[in-house]
Protein backbone atom coordinates (compact mmCIF):
# COMPACT_ATOMS: atom_id res chain seq x y z
CA UNK A 1 0.00 0.00 0.00
CA UNK A 2 2.56 2.50 0.95
CA UNK A 3 5.65 2.04 -1.11
CA UNK A 4 3.77 2.35 -4.35
CA UNK A 5 5.13 5.45 -5.82
CA UNK A 6 8.34 5.47 -3.84
CA UNK A 7 11.02 4.16 -6.07
CA UNK A 8 14.18 2.67 -4.67
CA UNK A 9 17.41 3.24 -6.49
CA UNK A 10 19.87 2.08 -3.87
CA UNK A 11 23.40 3.43 -4.11
CA UNK A 12 26.61 2.75 -2.23
CA UNK A 13 26.39 6.20 -0.65
CA UNK A 14 23.08 5.03 0.84
CA UNK A 15 21.32 7.89 -0.97
CA UNK A 16 17.95 7.03 -2.47
CA UNK A 17 16.40 8.76 -5.44
CA UNK A 18 12.64 9.04 -5.00
CA UNK A 19 9.81 9.84 -7.32
CA UNK A 20 6.82 10.37 -5.05
CA UNK A 21 4.48 7.51 -5.09
CA UNK A 22 1.48 9.64 -4.42
CA UNK A 23 2.47 12.18 -7.03
CA UNK A 24 5.28 14.50 -6.06
CA UNK A 25 8.70 15.79 -7.00
CA UNK A 26 11.90 13.78 -7.15
CA UNK A 27 14.22 14.12 -4.21
CA UNK A 28 17.22 12.52 -2.53
CA UNK A 29 16.96 11.00 0.92
CA UNK A 30 19.44 9.53 3.37
CA UNK A 31 18.40 6.07 4.50
CA UNK A 32 19.58 4.27 7.63
CA UNK A 33 22.71 2.21 7.20
CA UNK A 34 20.64 -0.92 7.64
CA UNK A 35 19.07 -0.43 4.21
CA UNK A 36 20.61 -2.36 1.31
CA UNK A 37 23.35 -0.65 -0.64
CA UNK A 38 23.66 -3.17 -3.46
CA UNK A 39 20.08 -3.17 -4.61
CA UNK A 40 18.69 -1.76 -7.84
CA UNK A 41 15.17 -2.51 -6.72
CA UNK A 42 12.59 -0.18 -8.21
CA UNK A 43 12.36 2.74 -10.57
CA UNK A 44 9.16 4.62 -10.11
CA UNK A 45 6.86 7.16 -11.61
CA UNK A 46 3.58 8.31 -10.04
CA UNK A 47 1.94 5.17 -8.78
CA UNK A 48 -0.70 6.96 -6.84
CA UNK A 49 -1.18 9.31 -9.74
CA UNK A 50 -1.03 8.00 -13.28
CA UNK A 51 2.09 5.85 -13.58
CA UNK A 52 3.27 2.58 -12.04
CA UNK A 53 6.37 1.24 -10.45
CA UNK A 54 8.66 -0.74 -12.69
CA UNK A 55 10.90 -3.40 -11.26
CA UNK A 56 14.51 -3.45 -12.32
CA UNK A 57 16.05 -6.73 -11.25
CA UNK A 58 19.54 -6.22 -12.65
CA UNK A 59 21.19 -6.90 -9.30
CA UNK A 60 20.15 -9.08 -6.37
CA UNK A 61 18.74 -7.25 -3.41
CA UNK A 62 20.88 -8.02 -0.39
CA UNK A 63 18.46 -6.82 2.27
CA UNK A 64 14.85 -7.29 1.23
CA UNK A 65 14.26 -10.98 0.72
CA UNK A 66 11.80 -12.74 -1.61
CA UNK A 67 8.37 -13.25 -0.16
CA UNK A 68 8.08 -16.71 1.36
CA UNK A 69 5.60 -16.99 4.18
CA UNK A 70 6.04 -19.83 6.61
CA UNK A 71 4.09 -20.57 9.74
CA UNK A 72 6.03 -21.69 12.76
CA UNK A 73 4.72 -24.65 14.69
CA UNK A 74 3.97 -22.82 17.90
CA UNK A 75 1.90 -24.17 20.73
CA UNK A 76 -1.49 -22.50 20.73
CA UNK A 77 -3.05 -21.26 23.94
CA UNK A 78 -6.04 -23.00 25.46
CA UNK A 79 -8.33 -20.12 24.43
CA UNK A 80 -7.31 -20.25 20.77
CA UNK A 81 -7.53 -24.02 20.70
CA UNK A 82 -11.00 -23.91 22.23
CA UNK A 83 -12.19 -21.57 19.47
CA UNK A 84 -11.01 -23.97 16.78
CA UNK A 85 -12.38 -26.98 18.62
CA UNK A 86 -15.74 -25.30 19.06
CA UNK A 87 -16.03 -24.54 15.35
CA UNK A 88 -14.89 -28.00 14.27
CA UNK A 89 -17.13 -29.67 16.84
CA UNK A 90 -20.14 -27.68 15.69
CA UNK A 91 -19.49 -28.68 12.09
CA UNK A 92 -19.26 -32.34 13.06
CA UNK A 93 -22.39 -32.09 15.20
CA UNK A 94 -24.20 -30.46 12.29
CA UNK A 95 -23.27 -33.30 9.95
CA UNK A 96 -24.37 -35.85 12.54
CA UNK A 97 -27.71 -34.12 13.10
CA UNK A 98 -28.38 -34.00 9.36
CA UNK A 99 -27.46 -37.67 8.93
CA UNK A 100 -29.82 -38.56 11.78
CA UNK A 101 -32.48 -36.34 10.18
CA UNK A 102 -32.71 -34.35 13.39
CA UNK A 103 -33.41 -31.11 11.57
CA UNK A 104 -34.51 -29.15 14.63
CA UNK A 105 -31.13 -29.78 16.26
CA UNK A 106 -29.35 -29.13 12.96
CA UNK A 107 -31.01 -25.71 12.73
CA UNK A 108 -29.86 -24.82 16.25
CA UNK A 109 -26.30 -25.90 15.51
CA UNK A 110 -26.30 -23.99 12.23
CA UNK A 111 -27.34 -20.83 14.07
CA UNK A 112 -24.53 -21.27 16.61
CA UNK A 113 -22.02 -21.88 13.84
CA UNK A 114 -23.21 -18.81 11.93
CA UNK A 115 -22.90 -16.67 15.06
CA UNK A 116 -19.35 -17.89 15.68
CA UNK A 117 -18.36 -17.21 12.06
CA UNK A 118 -19.87 -13.74 12.18
CA UNK A 119 -17.88 -12.97 15.33
CA UNK A 120 -14.69 -14.10 13.57
CA UNK A 121 -15.48 -12.00 10.50
CA UNK A 122 -16.13 -8.94 12.67
CA UNK A 123 -12.83 -9.46 14.52
CA UNK A 124 -10.84 -9.69 11.28
CA UNK A 125 -12.57 -6.60 9.87
CA UNK A 126 -11.72 -4.76 13.08
CA UNK A 127 -8.05 -5.72 12.72
CA UNK A 128 -8.14 -4.55 9.10
CA UNK A 129 -9.63 -1.20 10.20
CA UNK A 130 -6.85 -0.73 12.76
CA UNK A 131 -4.28 -1.42 10.05
CA UNK A 132 -5.70 1.31 7.82
CA UNK A 133 -6.17 3.75 10.69
CA UNK A 134 -2.50 3.46 11.60
CA UNK A 135 -1.55 4.13 7.99
CA UNK A 136 -4.04 6.98 7.60
CA UNK A 137 -2.78 8.98 10.60
CA UNK A 138 0.87 7.92 10.41
CA UNK A 139 1.01 5.96 13.68
CA UNK A 140 4.13 3.86 13.25
CA UNK A 141 3.96 2.37 16.74
CA UNK A 142 0.44 1.10 16.04
CA UNK A 143 1.56 -0.32 12.70
CA UNK A 144 4.38 -2.19 14.42
CA UNK A 145 1.98 -3.69 16.97
CA UNK A 146 -0.46 -4.92 14.30
CA UNK A 147 1.97 -7.19 12.43
CA UNK A 148 2.63 -10.79 13.31
CA UNK A 149 6.12 -11.42 14.67
CA UNK A 150 5.90 -15.19 14.21
CA UNK A 151 6.91 -16.95 11.02
CA UNK A 152 7.83 -14.65 8.15
CA UNK A 153 5.27 -11.90 7.58
CA UNK A 154 5.29 -10.55 4.04
CA UNK A 155 4.55 -7.10 2.63
CA UNK A 156 4.18 -6.40 -1.10
CA UNK A 157 4.02 -2.68 -1.75
CA UNK A 158 2.51 -1.74 -5.14
CA UNK A 159 4.79 -2.56 -8.03
CA UNK A 160 7.59 -3.87 -5.79
CA UNK A 161 8.88 -7.28 -4.79
CA UNK A 162 7.69 -8.93 -1.62
CA UNK A 163 9.55 -8.07 1.59
CA UNK A 164 9.75 -10.90 4.11
CA UNK A 165 10.49 -10.83 7.81
CA UNK A 166 9.08 -8.62 10.55
CA UNK A 167 12.11 -6.33 10.86
CA UNK A 168 12.40 -5.84 7.10
CA UNK A 169 8.69 -5.18 6.73
CA UNK A 170 8.83 -2.57 9.49
CA UNK A 171 11.80 -0.87 7.83
CA UNK A 172 9.76 -0.59 4.64
CA UNK A 173 6.97 1.15 6.57
CA UNK A 174 9.48 3.43 8.28
CA UNK A 175 10.60 4.44 4.80
CA UNK A 176 7.01 5.35 3.95
CA UNK A 177 6.66 7.37 7.15
CA UNK A 178 9.80 9.34 6.20
CA UNK A 179 8.38 10.46 2.88
CA UNK A 180 4.77 11.51 3.32
CA UNK A 181 2.85 14.08 5.29
CA UNK A 182 0.06 12.65 7.41
CA UNK A 183 -2.84 12.28 7.70
CA UNK A 184 -3.58 10.73 4.31
CA UNK A 185 -6.97 10.37 2.71
CA UNK A 186 -7.78 6.66 2.41
CA UNK A 187 -11.04 5.16 1.24
CA UNK A 188 -11.91 1.46 0.95
CA UNK A 189 -14.52 -0.07 -1.33
CA UNK A 190 -15.72 -3.58 -2.25
CA UNK A 191 -14.59 -4.99 1.10
CA UNK A 192 -14.90 -8.76 1.53
CA UNK A 193 -13.83 -10.87 4.50
CA UNK A 194 -13.30 -14.62 4.83
CA UNK A 195 -12.21 -16.65 7.85
CA UNK A 196 -11.06 -20.27 7.96
CA UNK A 197 -9.97 -21.44 11.40
CA UNK A 198 -6.96 -19.43 12.56
CA UNK A 199 -6.54 -17.55 9.26
CA UNK A 200 -8.68 -14.77 7.82
CA UNK A 201 -8.27 -12.43 4.88
CA UNK A 202 -9.75 -9.20 3.60
CA UNK A 203 -9.84 -8.05 -0.02
CA UNK A 204 -10.77 -4.54 -1.06
CA UNK A 205 -10.14 -1.64 -3.40
CA UNK A 206 -7.98 0.95 -1.70
CA UNK A 207 -7.93 4.60 -2.77
CA UNK A 208 -5.24 6.93 -1.39
CA UNK A 209 -4.59 10.64 -1.83
CA UNK A 210 -1.81 12.67 -0.23
CA UNK A 211 -1.84 16.28 0.83
CA UNK A 212 -1.46 18.61 -2.13
CA UNK A 213 -2.36 15.94 -4.67
CA UNK A 214 -5.38 16.31 -6.93
CA UNK A 215 -5.59 12.63 -7.90
CA UNK A 216 -6.33 9.38 -6.13
CA UNK A 217 -4.17 6.28 -6.43
CA UNK A 218 -5.98 2.94 -6.59
CA UNK A 219 -4.80 -0.48 -5.46
CA UNK A 220 -6.41 -3.88 -5.16
CA UNK A 221 -5.39 -5.15 -1.74
CA UNK A 222 -5.30 -8.51 -0.01
CA UNK A 223 -4.64 -8.49 3.73
CA UNK A 224 -4.14 -11.84 5.45
CA UNK A 225 -4.47 -12.19 9.23
CA UNK A 226 -3.59 -14.98 11.61
CA UNK A 227 -4.99 -15.50 15.09
CA UNK A 228 -2.33 -15.67 17.79
CA UNK A 229 -3.24 -15.98 21.47
CA UNK A 230 -6.80 -14.97 20.61
CA UNK A 231 -5.84 -11.81 18.69
CA UNK A 232 -5.70 -11.18 14.94
CA UNK A 233 -2.40 -9.98 13.48
CA UNK A 234 -1.68 -9.11 9.86
CA UNK A 235 0.87 -11.46 8.28
CA UNK A 236 0.53 -10.58 4.56
CA UNK A 237 -0.23 -7.26 2.90
CA UNK A 238 -0.30 -7.32 -0.90
CA UNK A 239 -1.23 -4.18 -2.86
CA UNK A 240 -1.41 -4.14 -6.67
CA UNK A 241 -1.78 -0.84 -8.59
CA UNK A 242 -4.96 -0.44 -10.63
CA UNK A 243 -5.60 2.08 -13.40
CA UNK A 244 -8.60 4.31 -12.76
Amino acid sequence: MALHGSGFLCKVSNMVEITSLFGGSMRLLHLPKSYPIHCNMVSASNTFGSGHLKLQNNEPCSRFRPCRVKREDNNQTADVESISVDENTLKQDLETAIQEENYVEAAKIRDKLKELQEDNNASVLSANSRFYQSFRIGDLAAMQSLWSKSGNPCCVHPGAKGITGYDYVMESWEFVWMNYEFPLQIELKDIEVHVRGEVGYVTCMEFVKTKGSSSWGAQFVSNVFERIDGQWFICIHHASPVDI
Side-chain angles (χ1 to χ4, degrees):
M1 166 187 2
L3 282 186
H4 28 177
S6 281
F8 289 125
L9 222 97
C10 304
K11 301 179 180 180
V12 175
S13 61
N14 75 315
M15 295 285 288
V16 177
E17 189 175 20
I18 307 295
T19 301
S20 176
L21 162 79
F22 301 104
S25 59
M26 182 172 288
R27 56 189 183 256
L28 292 177
L29 295 176
H30 287 281
L31 288 182
K33 293 181 180 180
S34 60
Y35 274 83
I37 60 175
H38 299 297
C39 172
N40 188 15
M41 186 176 176
V42 181
S43 174
S45 56
N46 274 342
T47 314
F48 265 107
S50 58
H52 296 296
L53 293 174
K54 295 181 180 179
L55 298 181
Q56 295 181 345
N57 300 323
N58 299 328
E59 301 177 19
C61 181
S62 60
R63 177 69 169 172
F64 293 133
R65 298 173 294 171
C67 183
R68 297 187 182 92
V69 176
K70 298 179 181 178
R71 180 176 176 84
E72 293 179 346
D73 292 327
N74 297 330
N75 292 327
Q76 301 294 322
T77 64
D79 289 342
V80 174
E81 286 180 346
S82 65
I83 293 173
S84 298
V85 170
D86 287 345
E87 185 172 357
N88 292 333
T89 300
L90 285 173
K91 289 179 179 179
Q92 293 173 1
D93 291 345
L94 178 59
E95 292 180 2
T96 300
I98 293 175
Q99 291 174 358
E100 295 176 352
E101 298 185 356
N102 188 348
Y103 299 118
V104 174
E105 182 65 20
K108 293 180 181 179
I109 296 172
R110 188 180 293 110
D111 289 341
K112 292 180 181 179
L113 187 58
K114 181 180 179 181
E115 183 178 348
L116 179 60
Q117 291 170 340
E118 288 176 349
D119 288 344
N120 288 339
N121 288 352
S123 296
V124 171
L125 284 173
S126 178
N128 192 66
S129 295
R130 291 194 297 273
F131 171 79
Y132 276 105
Q133 179 65 5
S134 69
F135 182 63
R136 181 179 290 109
I137 66 176
D139 189 340
L140 183 58
M143 178 66 75
Q144 292 170 336
S145 70
L146 294 171
W147 279 82
S148 170
K149 296 180 177 66
S150 67
N152 286 306
C154 179
C155 185
V156 184
H157 294 288
K161 283 185 174 180
I163 300 168
T164 301
Y166 177 82
D167 290 339
Y168 302 147
V169 169
M170 289 304 103
E171 284 188 2
S172 76
W173 285 106
E174 288 173 9
F175 182 83
V176 174
W177 258 246
M178 290 166 56
N179 285 280
Y180 299 102
E181 185 178 354
F182 297 90
L184 304 175
Q185 294 185 56
I186 300 178
E187 294 184 5
L188 305 180
K189 295 183 178 180
D190 303 328
I191 301 173
E192 294 187 10
V193 59
H194 305 273
V195 179
R196 298 291 183 272
E198 305 307 308
V199 176
Y201 66 93
V202 176
T203 60
C204 63
M205 281 296 301
E206 166 197 293
F207 299 89
V208 181
K209 185 166 71 171
T210 57
K211 288 186 176 180
S213 176
S214 59
S215 61
W216 290 80
Q219 291 71 233
F220 180 81
V221 174
S222 300
N223 290 327
V224 181
F225 299 83
E226 63 175 338
R227 183 161 43 196
I228 302 174
D229 295 343
Q231 297 184 26
W232 292 98
F233 295 88
I234 187 167
C235 58
I236 300 175
H237 168 71
H238 191 153
S240 299
V242 176
D243 289 326
I244 55 174

